[in-house]
Amino acid sequence: MEFEYETEVLIVGTGPAGGATGALLASYGVPNMMINRYRWLANTPRAHITNQRTMEVLRDLGRSVEDEAYLHATEQELMGNNVFCESLAGEELGRMRSWGTHPDSMAEHLLSSPCRMNDLPQTFMEPILFKTACSRGSAARMSTEYLSHEQDGDGVTTTCRDRLSGREFLIRSKYLVGADGGNSAVAEHLGLPFEGKMGVGGSMNILFRADLSHLVAHRPSVLYWVMQPGADVGGIGMGLVRMVRPWNEWLIVWGYDINEPAPDVTPEFAQGVARQLVGDPDLEIELLSANVWTVNDMFATHMQKDRVFIMGDAAHRHPPSNGLGSNTSIQDGFNLAWKLAAVLKGQAGPGLLDSYSEERAPVARQIVTRANKSIGEFGPIFEALGMDGGVDPEKIQQNMSARADASEAGEAQRAALRKAIELKSYEFDCHGVEMNQRYASGAVVTDGQPEPAFDRDPELHYQPTTWPGARLPHVWIFDRAGRKLSTLDICGHGRFTLLTGIGGDGWVAAAKQIADELGIPLGAHVIGPRRDYEDHTGDWARAREIRDSGCVLVRPDHHVAWRSDILGGDPAQELRRVLTSILNR
Ligand code: FDA
């Protein structure tokens, strides 16, 4: 067979991982092709919680991309009353302010990022990424199924099937990215090492329309957890009514016993479940779709084999808890895309690509572990409500009701329930897990300082640092016209950036020299009085952890590559040493 198409990077999948990677590569000017076995983008709203770090990737793609996401998203302030109840119409058991809407957490969110968390269903996110990719030059081929690949010293030959005609054909690329989801054939063909287990629980999604405003207007939220006797079967442990569009489109997630055959979710069954969880026996729903899926607990411990990479659910397979799946998938793309671009443009040696797995495999482990742990952390709520002792519905109802008793036991039960709900911050307000990623790899050069310890719980709280490997702290700075910009805004966009202050002009000259010498895009900015950017509030001076004449070198994905406390004797030599090491030159 002849090659039908040639491209630099072939991406299997147009989900959040593949779409983001296509959009980023196209923005960096790298020819790429995305293929999707189906003729549609996401047709159910699966992922929705969109965290600040993901929004920073969209912002890096352009303010219009970020703004389009906000345009379609449900705003953060409508996300936060995480309700535990007997049914939407029934008694409320407890509530926690979530997703950064508690005033304390909101302050942390506002200080951490120029971007806002929001609720953006996958049915909106995928078209935004796909359109951005295609409008910037990605080739896309729908109804095109990846079948197999072979790699050699120069590239990868991938066999595909055109699902419209049934015809098989070949695509030749320099690199192949498997962004083909939780049943990734690319990962399987690579024989990459995985830890964990697939299919640890069964769940079904029931997507429907019904105006439920009267039940939720006073407590707007993304998630309503329904705890009823008998509802704790497999899956994610209880019935979940999730807002898809406020307040007339909903997704019910309901568990089934994974040891039994998957149920046939008929319209009658779906209506029955909806009536039960909403608590309205006369509710009429407009059923949009229903499907079953399995809960997984598995991650790749290595995400690359020579010229082929995996990302997204192909590498990390876990339940929706914490809303990390699509977010992490997009962030995988942000990590890999600039490295592929640098290698393909001859700016870096292929060794740079090894840092992708070094940096992202630990994240895969972390988020799969966290998401599965979050499921287990519903246990104390069941215990506190007395739902864990047997299956007799009457007895369970009595136990749940006992929390209203004027007795020692009742008081203890109320305290236990409050504590159990508080523990769920690790799922519903877990800012540190979203923002604290610190990389250790060949694409980071240490400045000899020890890693700063976390002052507070690193899962719950983000702690900014310019320690090499961490994400550059966001603070607002001001340009010469007085306009407010984030430190992240003056970095990224596919290039390295050096930030320095008064007395650091030697770094700026050195950056220009080394950029010319190595043929790489490398920006340099002085932040200080009368310079490129002003630090009127002093926030940058407090965040940067270096002296005025020092520098922070930032990678295209906003992570700190290296830093220096002060201007040294030979800044060009220092930058040459650091960049040739990172770029594997
Ligand atoms: P994804 O599975 O989305 O895409 C795979 C792509 O590869 C598709 O385009 C597919 O057609 C294509 N493909 C597969 N095999 C192929 C082949 N052989 N040839 C060609 N194409 C092929 N996440 C999150 O961040 N926040 C959240 O709130 C939630 N909530 C949530 C709720 C529910 C109910 C579910 C089920 C899941 C979530 N998630 C989530 C998880 C999220 O949906 C998931 O992590 C992402 O879709 C993963 O994105 P990927 O791009 O990796 O794979």
Side-chain angles (χ1 to χ4, degrees), residues 12-18 35-38 46-49 122 126 144-146 179-182 185 205 242 251 253 293 311-314 318 320 323-329:
V12 184
T14 59
I35 59 168
N36 179 353
R37 62 140 74 102
Y38 301 116
R46 292 174 296 152
H48 53 118
I49 306 293
Q122 201 161 332
E126 281 194 23
T144 300
E145 186 171 9
Y146 160 91
D180 51 342
N205 284 350
R242 167 192 147 196
L251 182 81
V253 185
W293 51 279
M311 60 165 60
D313 275 15
H318 54 91
L324 290 168
S326 157
N327 286 303
T328 309
S329 304

Side-chain angles (χ1 to χ4, degrees), residues 327-395:
N327 286 303
T328 309
S329 304
I330 290 170
Q331 292 156 28
D332 285 345
F334 202 35
N335 186 289
L336 182 60
W338 72 267
K339 296 173 182 172
L340 283 170
V343 173
L344 285 163
K345 289 178 184 174
Q347 296 161 358
L352 171 64
L353 298 171
D354 296 346
S355 66
Y356 168 67
S357 183
E358 287 166 7
E359 295 177 353
R360 295 305 291 177
V363 175
R365 175 187 294 271
Q366 181 204 8
I367 61 141
V368 173
T369 308
R370 174 24 72 200
N372 279 285
K373 197 168 168 202
S374 291
I375 291 187
E377 285 169 355
F378 274 109
I381 298 183
F382 287 120
E383 273 168 46
L385 289 169
M387 295 180 76
D388 58 332
V391 289
D392 176 0
E394 250 177 63
K395 176 83 186 96

Side-chain angles (χ1 to χ4, degrees), residues 11-20 34-42 44-51 54 99 118-122 126 141-148 159-161 163 178-186 189 203-205 222-223 236 240 242 251-253 291 293-294 311-330 332 367:
I11 303 162
V12 184
T14 59
M34 305 176 288
I35 59 168
N36 179 353
R37 62 140 74 102
Y38 301 116
R39 62 182 192 281
W40 57 79
L41 299 175
T44 59
R46 292 174 296 152
H48 53 118
I49 306 293
T50 305
N51 65 37
T54 296
W99 312 121
N118 60 77
D119 188 284
L120 184 67
Q122 201 161 332
E126 281 194 23
R141 211 177 184 287
M142 305 302 273
S143 299
T144 300
E145 186 171 9
Y146 160 91
L147 295 179
S148 64
T159 307
C160 296
R161 180 189 292 127
R163 293 183 60 173
D180 51 342
N183 294 312
S184 170
V186 176
H189 296 162
S203 270
M204 72 190 77
N205 284 350
V222 181
L223 304 175
I236 52 176
L240 167 65
R242 167 192 147 196
L251 182 81
I252 281 181
V253 185
N291 62 292
W293 51 279
T294 58
M311 60 165 60
D313 275 15
H316 26 87
R317 305 160 186 184
H318 54 91
S321 338
N322 292 69
L324 290 168
S326 157
N327 286 303
T328 309
S329 304
I330 290 170
D332 285 345
I367 61 141

